[in-house]
Amino acid sequence: MSAEETFNKEAANAIVGFLKSNLSKSGQLTIESELKKDFVLAKKRSKTKKKKKPHKKRVRCLTRQEKKSIGFYTIPRNGVKYNDVLPLNKIWLKYINDVLELDKPIPDRTSKSWETFTQTLFRADFHGSMLNVVRSKCPSYVDKCGICIMDTRNTFKIVSQDNVTTTIPKRECVFEIFLGKQKITIFGKNLCVRPAERSTKKIKGHIHPDL
Amino acid sequence: MASKEPEKKADGNRVKKVHGNDSFQRMNYLYQISKHIADKNPALSAYYGNLIVSVAKKNVLKIHPDIKRQFCKKCRCIAIHKVTATMKVKRKNKSKTIQWTCDICGTKRNFPANEKHDHRLWLEKPEAVLEVIN
Ligand SMILES: [Zn+2]
C-alpha cells in the first residue's frame, strides 16, 4: 500500500513538474488551482477542506449514567436528616392550604364541589407531606410515619423522625395525610401515577377498594 | 412566582382564575422546596427541578425566565451563589457577561450584562402585561 502511495506521489510530482516546464507563463500561475478542480462525476475528490462553521455545543441533559455517578438515584438510608426536611413540611402546609382552600368548610360528600375538591387533592403535590401508613398488606410498614421527600410511580420515600429513609410501595398501603388539624385517608392504589403526569390525569370518583 | 400575567379570562362573572392555576401553584411550591433543600442535599434539589420542568411540559405551560434561569441547564439543580454554583463577572471585548458555573456538573452559563445595552426581556417590558389576574 505504502509503496503504491509513494509511486502515486512521485507520478503526481512528475506531472506537475512536466506542466510547469511546458506551459506558457499565463498558464503557470493557475496550475495549482486548476489541478484541484472537482469534477462532478469523478470518483476521487481533491482534498481542499471547506471551512466548517463552528458547531455550537448544545447543552444536553445528563445521561442516566452521569446522574447515577453524581448520586441522583441512591439516597442513602441515613442520608437525609429529619430536621432538614421539617421546613419543607411547613411550606407544604401553607401550599396545601392555598390549593384546597381549607379555610372554607370542606364540601359535603354529595355536593358538586366535592368532586373538584378531590380532583385538586389528587393533582396536588405530596412532596413534604406528613404521611402515616394506616394499613398495609405487609405488616412491617404499618405505623411508619414521616415526611415524604420523593414520589415515584409506585413508591413514596419518607424520612422518619429517627433520620431513616424508607421506601414504601403505594399500591398495597393506605395512607393518612395530616393537614394541620384535619386528616385525610387515601388509598395508595389511586396514586399510582407518575408525579408529573398526575396533574393532567383525571381520577375516577369511586374506585372500589380491594379487601 | 411562576409567570401569571398574560393568560386567558375565565368565563363570565365567576371568580377569575388563571388557566392551569393549580399547576402554577405546584411549580411555585416545588421551586420553594428546591431552593430550601439545595444546601443540604443538592441531588434532591435537582430532582425537584426536574419535576418542575416535567410538570411544565406536561401541562404546556411556560416557566418564567427569571425562574428558569436559576436552574442549571444540565442537572437542573438550583443555582445559589457559593452554595451550588459560583458567579463571576467576565469581561470580553469591552462587553460584560455574568458567568454561572454549576458546582455539581460543571456547566457554564453566560448572561449578557452591559450597562449600555438594554438587556431586558420582553416579559419585563411594560407593554407585555395585558391583564392582571389575582
Ligand atoms: Zn449543573
Side-chain angles (χ1 to χ4, degrees), chain A residues 62, chain B residues 72-77 102-107:
Chain A
L62 288 173
Chain B
C72 167
K73 246 182 166 179
K74 205 168 184 184
C75 64
R76 280 160 192 175
C77 180
C102 176
D103 286 352
I104 297 161
C105 64
T107 312

Side-chain angles (χ1 to χ4, degrees), chain B residues 9-117:
Chain B
K9 268 186 196 174
D11 50 300
N13 284 328
R14 275 191 221 157
V15 187
K16 273 185 187 176
K17 270 197 173 172
V18 187
H19 170 71
N21 190 32
D22 43 358
S23 303
F24 274 130
Q25 267 172 323
R26 191 177 176 193
M27 277 148 65
N28 180 10
Y29 166 69
L30 284 171
Y31 168 74
Q32 285 175 38
I33 58 172
S34 177
K35 202 164 191 175
H36 235 272
I37 204 93
D39 54 334
K40 283 140 196 165
N41 199 335
L44 265 183
S45 166
Y47 167 73
Y48 296 135
N50 250 323
L51 200 58
I52 291 177
V53 177
S54 47
V55 166
K57 269 185 188 168
K58 271 275 175 269
N59 292 292
V60 204
L61 301 171
K62 275 183 183 168
I63 308 172
H64 193 279
D66 285 351
I67 307 283
K68 208 172 81 181
R69 285 175 168 202
Q70 284 180 37
F71 288 101
C72 167
K73 246 182 166 179
K74 205 168 184 184
C75 64
R76 280 160 192 175
C77 180
I78 202 164
I80 303 169
H81 182 52
K82 284 184 180 171
V83 181
T84 57
T86 39
M87 184 184 59
K88 271 180 191 170
V89 179
K90 287 214 164 182
R91 243 169 231 281
K92 202 179 181 185
N93 303 334
K94 291 179 188 172
S95 66
K96 276 184 189 171
T97 49
I98 298 175
Q99 191 179 56
W100 285 89
T101 313
C102 176
D103 286 352
I104 297 161
C105 64
T107 312
K108 282 169 190 165
R109 218 171 172 194
N110 291 312
F111 297 111
N114 269 330
E115 294 101 343
K116 289 171 194 169
H117 292 276

Side-chain angles (χ1 to χ4, degrees), chain A residues 103-207:
Chain A
D103 41 334
K104 291 173 191 170
I106 290 175
D108 196 56
R109 197 170 285 245
T110 50
S111 67
K112 233 184 181 180
S113 51
W114 173 256
E115 198 152 295
T116 53
F117 180 79
T118 47
Q119 200 67 245
T120 43
L121 178 68
F122 178 68
R123 282 180 184 169
D125 206 276
F126 289 105
H127 297 99
S129 58
M130 182 75 95
L131 293 176
N132 184 20
V133 182
V134 188
R135 271 188 281 161
S136 171
K137 275 186 185 172
C138 174
S140 61
Y141 285 129
V142 177
D143 277 343
K144 291 250 179 196
C145 184
I147 292 172
C148 167
I149 52 163
M150 232 187 212
D151 182 359
T152 61
R153 189 171 168 193
N154 286 319
T155 59
F156 275 128
K157 273 195 178 136
I158 64 169
V159 179
S160 57
Q161 268 179 337
D162 46 351
N163 301 333
V164 176
T165 313
T166 16
T167 312
I168 294 173
K170 283 176 186 173
R171 190 162 294 164
E172 322 299 346
C173 297
V174 181
F175 296 98
E176 233 170 30
I177 299 174
F178 299 95
L179 318 166
K181 289 165 195 169
Q182 286 109 340
K183 256 196 303 193
I184 289 182
T185 313
I186 291 184
F187 284 86
K189 206 179 116 193
N190 303 355
L191 297 178
C192 284
V193 191
R194 275 200 208 154
E197 282 165 20
R198 209 171 40 201
S199 49
T200 51
K201 270 199 178 171
K202 276 202 170 177
I203 183 186
K204 283 173 202 167
H206 296 284
I207 301 174

